[in-house]
Each structure stands twice: as C-alpha cells, then as structure tokens.
Amino acid sequence: MAARRRSVMSEDLKYELAKELGVADTVAKEGWGGVSSRNCGNLVRLAIEKAEKALAEENGKPRK
C-alpha cells in the first residue's frame, strides 16, 4: 500500500481556491479527481500567488 502524503494545503484553502476558480461544483459532485489537470495547475498557481502576497505584506512590502 502506498504511503499517504500529508497535504501542504488545508482542505479549507483548497475549497476557497476552487470557489474562486469556479470549480467548486465539480469538486462537490465528483471530488478532486473530477477537476481537470489544467484547473489543478491553476489552483496551485493561485495558492502560490496568495502565499507570495502574504509574505510580501508580512515583510512590509505591499504587493499588487
């Protein structure tokens, strides 16, 4: 049996991002496996953008 990986993103954050990208209905109906790889990539990209923005604000450098 394969070992389970610990998720880097919380489920709440994943659902928040899915709502922003308009794929929350797909997740609700089909689970995460129903989300296209393109949209999964978009979820990761959005998560990275949010993390970078939070770090910049934490360091006193507001970012767009």
Side-chain angles (χ1 to χ4, degrees):
M1 186 186 325
R4 290 193 81 136
R5 290 185 185 182
R6 183 171 172 223
S7 180
V8 175
M9 289 192 283
S10 70
E11 287 297 311
D12 290 340
L13 176 58
K14 286 193 271 186
Y15 281 112
E16 179 185 322
L17 297 173
K19 285 179 190 174
E20 272 190 57
L21 292 175
V23 297
D25 288 341
T26 302
V27 173
K29 290 177 188 172
E30 303 174 34
W32 290 104
V35 179
S36 71
S37 57
R38 174 175 286 195
N39 281 327
C40 285
N42 289 336
L43 286 166
V44 172
R45 180 187 47 79
L46 186 57
I48 291 169
E49 287 175 3
K50 286 182 175 276
E52 286 177 340
K53 183 178 178 183
L55 282 173
E57 289 173 357
E58 187 177 291
N59 291 326
K61 300 174 187 172
R63 193 166 179 226
K64 293 182 184 178

